Amino acid sequence: MSWHRISALAKRIITQFRRDRRTVALILVVPIVILSLVGYLIDLKPSDTAVGIVNEDVAATSVAGLIVDTLEDVGDLKLIDLSREEVEGQLRDGRIKAALMFPSDFTQNLVTANGPTATLLLEGSDAQVAGHVRGTITTAIQQTLASIPGMEGRLIDVQPSFIYGGPDYSTLDYLGPAFVVLIPWFFVFLLTSISFVRERVQGTVERLLASPLSRIDIVLGYMLGFGIFSLIQSLEMLLFTVYVLNVNCEGSIFVAILIVVIMIMTAVNLGILLSTFARNEFQAVQFVPLVVFSQGLLGGLFWSLDSLPWSLRWLSYLMPVTYANLAVKDVMIKGAGILDWSVGSNLLILTAFAAAFIVLSSLTLKREVA
Amino acid sequence: MMDIAATTVVETRRLSRHFGRIRAVDEVNLQVRAGETYGLLGPNGCGKTTLIRLLVGLLRPTTGEAIVLAKTVPNKDILSQVGYMTQAEAIYQDLTVLENLRFFGSIYGVDSTSRFHEVLGLVELAERANSVVATLSGGMRRRVSLACAMLHNPMLLFLDEPTVGVDPELRVSFWDHFRRLNEQGVTIVVSSHVMDEAEHCHRLGLMRNGRILAEGSASELRQRTGTSTLEEAYLALARGINELA
């Protein structure tokens, strides 16, 4: 062992890093960006969640009205007055995330302490939002009762019921769709960008471009090759998630696979696109934080889009993973089909992303020539 | 065959390509005739590879033009008639020799196993057909690369330093093979920085700093400069340019 030789090795590594400014920047900047995002997101509560209020209470001094006043004072929820008939439709459309309903005899029942009172109907596809709405409403009710003489210490039994999901759903049921989307995205992006960088490094791209193959042939060939592998991967993942981990899948597994495969087409082309900016495999890996972590945090996978402030949310809408996640969630949790607007529209946007990236990546192949 | 020999396969007119301030190829005028081997000779960095990439159509000229097989390049239509052996090996390391041939063959519509073995015989790799490329020596890999470039019987072959890392004995057989291709009417543009290889070429373009210093056969160039070796001829020509400047 020789200190001299060991330090020579270490010095060489430091010199190499100093040459590669981008790596140094990445090592120092990316963790801070990610930590601040996580630190910010972790405390984030859903804001402005739309909640329908059905107040049929006929009492002269309505306790229901007082509760609604308190909720309004808290200001966390966006309250919308509805009739009982409108509730279910609005919940299914996603226009409201929950509905709080007071029957006509609400105050009277409260005074006589008789039977069930208010009902809370939750949309339920997002555990975080559901929990937040329940918590806010329970607190508001307690506060209101505490302020009415003679009612202190009274309890109101608010029975929650769920349109989707519900008490049987575990955390895994809610997170399952997120992983079904994020894992193939990660692998396919990484594999394509690395194998394309390899084509560039070993010079085979040059040979392909000097052949009768057109640029679009190359892109489509890559998509087909990786598409087959991603099909196998997403099939395996979905079957494992649903049948081994017993994650609920209300809708068709095949629709979920279709969504993932279209997302993969975007990932393949993004890989080709970004490989232009990497001189070696090492640099290609450095795009992972940018392309994978960022979408994992902001794509609505773990924090619902509704809870993101607009200063971040616009970024989410630029990310293909966001749309794949929304669609897969709707299929797995809500049981939506491909013809449902929520799935169909997101699938269309995803397809548009894939098409745009196909064009962009074939353009970079052209630029490679220069 | 006679009229083919008279035609010009490659012609450039004041062809230039700049990279920023660097003039990698600078006002090059050259003509390559059908069935000849044209050698681009010059030190590393003199613009040989850039010139070849311009002729293949992988780069656009900054100014001037190049006409290859009667088409102004870049042009996709000529590519099925062109073979290009790059300076890098440009073959897939994790495939076998035969798998590489099959892949590049299928791009050109070549799908005959006998053709694959014929080409492998030419580069003396018949026994290694099923070896994974990564396990081959550097010289063998260059031979696979050459095999891939000639697979589809192109009319025009661009070879960028084909003999680097190839041992002397095989080098001789390479040049024999190139001559046979010439006899079949195939035109070859080959670059090299090894002066003694140039004797094998019908005509030479001596390159320096992106320009063609002089053109002619090896013996013509020696005569013109009154030197006995091509190396001396090159140095004499380079000095002449410097004095003019």
Side-chain angles (χ1 to χ4, degrees):
Chain A
M1 216 164 72
S2 138
W3 167 242
H4 190 69
R5 289 176 205 143
I6 294 171
S7 69
L9 206 66
K11 241 185 240 165
R12 192 214 71 207
I13 290 170
I14 292 166
T15 314
Q16 283 173 320
F17 266 116
R18 278 180 37 207
R19 230 14 67 80
D20 195 351
R21 297 259 167 81
R22 203 163 77 189
T23 306
V24 175
L26 229 72
I27 289 174
L28 298 177
V29 174
V30 167
I32 300 300
V33 172
I34 290 182
L35 277 175
S36 16
L37 255 180
V38 172
Y40 174 76
L41 291 172
I42 213 106
D43 284 333
L44 209 58
K45 291 210 176 58
S47 57
D48 281 341
T49 309
V51 173
I53 299 288
V54 179
N55 189 357
E56 294 167 341
D57 193 2
V58 290
T61 36
S62 163
V63 177
L66 293 173
I67 292 172
V68 174
D69 289 346
T70 314
L71 276 174
E72 231 148 44
D73 289 343
V74 175
D76 234 5
L77 305 175
K78 202 167 95 193
L79 305 179
I80 299 162
D81 281 317
L82 295 174
S83 69
R84 199 171 276 272
E85 294 74 36
E86 292 169 307
V87 167
E88 178 141 348
Q90 296 233 355
L91 276 172
R92 290 202 184 272
D93 287 353
R95 266 179 286 176
I96 54 173
K97 297 290 179 194
L100 182 59
M101 296 183 281
F102 302 100
S104 57
D105 51 1
F106 178 75
T107 305
Q108 200 192 343
N109 273 337
L110 197 63
V111 175
T112 57
N114 240 349
T117 50
T119 40
L120 177 62
L121 200 55
L122 291 160
E123 189 256 5
S125 69
D126 189 316
Q128 203 190 355
V129 170
H132 176 65
V133 170
R134 263 179 94 174
T136 312
I137 288 176
T138 313
T139 315
I141 291 174
Q142 279 166 358
Q143 273 180 14
T144 313
L145 291 186
S147 66
I148 304 172
M151 294 260 181
E152 306 96 329
R154 274 288 182 76
L155 289 174
I156 295 181
D157 177 26
V158 180
Q159 305 154 321
S161 49
F162 293 80
I163 301 260
Y164 311 110
D168 318 334
Y169 270 50
S170 67
T171 312
L172 192 61
D173 287 313
Y174 291 108
L175 292 185
F179 286 107
V180 165
V181 165
L182 197 60
I183 291 178
W185 175 266
F186 166 72
F187 276 110
V188 172
F189 170 73
L190 193 66
L191 290 179
T192 349
S193 52
I194 286 182
S195 62
F196 221 82
V197 165
R198 224 191 263 169
E199 294 244 26
R200 287 176 202 278
V201 171
Q202 71 194 3
T204 40
V205 162
E206 178 109 341
R207 185 163 249 162
L208 295 180
L209 289 172
S211 80
L213 271 181
S214 68
R215 297 156 223 285
I216 201 80
D217 289 338
I218 299 177
V219 170
L220 293 179
Y222 254 74
M223 278 171 61
L224 187 63
F226 280 95
I228 290 168
F229 270 99
S230 72
L231 186 69
I232 297 170
Q233 191 195 36
S234 51
L235 196 69
E236 180 205 59
M237 270 195 68
L238 269 163
L239 292 177
F240 188 84
T241 314
V242 173
Y243 294 107
V244 180
L245 297 181
N246 288 319
V247 167
N248 268 299
C249 180
E250 294 289 325
S252 154
I253 275 196
F254 297 104
V255 176
I257 290 174
L258 178 72
I259 297 164
V260 173
V261 167
I262 292 181
M263 177 193 74
I264 292 302
M265 298 299 132
T266 318
V268 169
N269 283 290
L270 193 61
I272 297 178
L273 189 67
L274 290 184
S275 74
T276 321
F277 306 104
R279 274 190 304 274
N280 51 45
E281 286 94 334
F282 186 47
Q283 292 190 343
V285 176
Q286 294 169 6
F287 285 116
V288 167
L290 190 70
V291 173
V292 179
F293 293 179
S294 65
Q295 309 210 48
L297 291 175
L298 297 176
L301 297 116
F302 307 110
W303 288 277
S304 81
L305 289 187
D306 293 336
S307 60
L308 293 179
W310 276 103
S311 55
L312 287 174
R313 214 192 290 184
W314 66 272
L315 280 169
S316 310
Y317 288 115
L318 294 178
M319 299 176 170
V321 166
T322 304
Y323 301 95
N325 175 56
L326 286 174
V328 170
K329 236 180 200 166
D330 276 1
V331 170
M332 291 183 68
I333 297 178
K334 295 190 188 173
I338 193 162
L339 294 177
D340 284 303
W341 176 242
S342 59
V343 175
S345 61
N346 287 317
L347 209 52
L348 274 179
I349 295 173
L350 209 54
T351 313
F353 262 107
F357 279 121
I358 291 173
V359 173
L360 284 175
S361 66
S362 20
L363 285 179
T364 56
L365 278 177
K366 205 168 196 167
R367 253 198 43 204
E368 141 92 13
V369 162
Chain B
M1 281 284 151
M2 278 315 288
D3 55 330
I4 292 180
T7 49
T8 303
V9 174
V10 176
E11 182 171 11
T12 70
R13 295 182 194 133
R14 306 186 66 183
L15 183 68
S16 302
R17 173 68 202 209
H18 305 167
F19 294 108
R21 277 193 190 158
I22 299 164
R23 298 177 170 200
V25 170
D26 194 9
E27 308 252 314
V28 164
N29 295 304
L30 61 83
Q31 287 192 349
V32 180
R33 295 174 207 129
E36 74 174 351
T37 292
Y38 187 98
L40 288 168
L41 208 60
N44 290 320
C46 73
K48 298 179 302 257
T49 299
T50 306
L51 181 52
I52 289 181
R53 298 186 70 210
L54 281 165
L55 296 179
V56 175
L58 290 170
L59 283 177
R60 271 175 200 286
T62 309
T63 56
E65 65 172 345
I67 294 150
V68 178
L69 295 171
K71 296 261 162 74
T72 303
V73 287
N75 188 314
K76 247 190 68 154
D77 298 340
I78 63 161
L79 291 176
S80 59
Q81 306 289 330
V82 170
Y84 174 35
M85 178 184 175
T86 55
Q87 208 165 359
E89 279 149 18
I91 44 176
Y92 296 94
Q93 304 286 323
D94 38 7
L95 298 184
T96 67
V97 173
L98 198 57
E99 283 165 344
N100 267 288
L101 290 180
R102 273 190 204 289
F103 171 68
F104 287 111
S106 61
I107 290 174
Y108 292 91
V110 177
D111 187 25
S112 111
T113 309
S114 62
R115 175 63 185 155
F116 297 144
H117 287 286
E118 187 188 345
V119 174
L120 280 181
L122 289 174
V123 295
E124 296 178 27
L125 275 176
E127 299 96 81
R128 304 303 297 266
N130 293 311
S131 302
V132 172
V133 166
T135 65
L136 301 180
S137 73
M140 288 178 182
R141 281 182 241 162
R142 293 205 62 76
R143 279 138 69 187
V144 178
S145 176
L146 178 63
C148 291
M150 347 187 269
L151 200 54
H152 55 293
N153 282 314
M155 286 172 60
L156 175 59
L157 257 178
F158 291 101
L159 308 173
D160 199 356
E161 309 243 358
T163 54
V164 171
V166 174
D167 56 64
E169 209 176 319
L170 190 66
R171 205 177 280 193
V172 171
S173 76
F174 266 27
W175 285 107
D176 282 345
H177 181 62
F178 296 159
R179 196 175 314 124
R180 276 200 300 280
L181 287 175
N182 285 154
E183 283 158 12
Q184 292 163 23
V186 177
T187 311
I188 297 175
V189 176
V190 58
S191 77
S192 178
H193 65 270
V194 187
M195 298 286 170
D196 50 341
E197 283 203 335
E199 303 289 346
H200 297 284
C201 302
H202 295 102
R203 287 192 311 127
L204 295 168
L206 300 188
M207 274 192 91
R208 189 165 177 273
N209 295 337
R211 287 176 166 270
I212 299 248
L213 294 179
E215 227 181 0
S217 71
S219 53
E220 278 169 16
L221 290 169
R222 278 193 301 265
Q223 262 173 20
R224 203 186 302 170
T225 50
T227 51
S228 57
T229 68
L230 205 53
E231 204 148 329
E232 287 167 355
Y234 182 90
L235 292 173
L237 285 161
R239 215 175 300 127
I241 291 286
N242 281 347
E243 279 162 16
L244 282 179

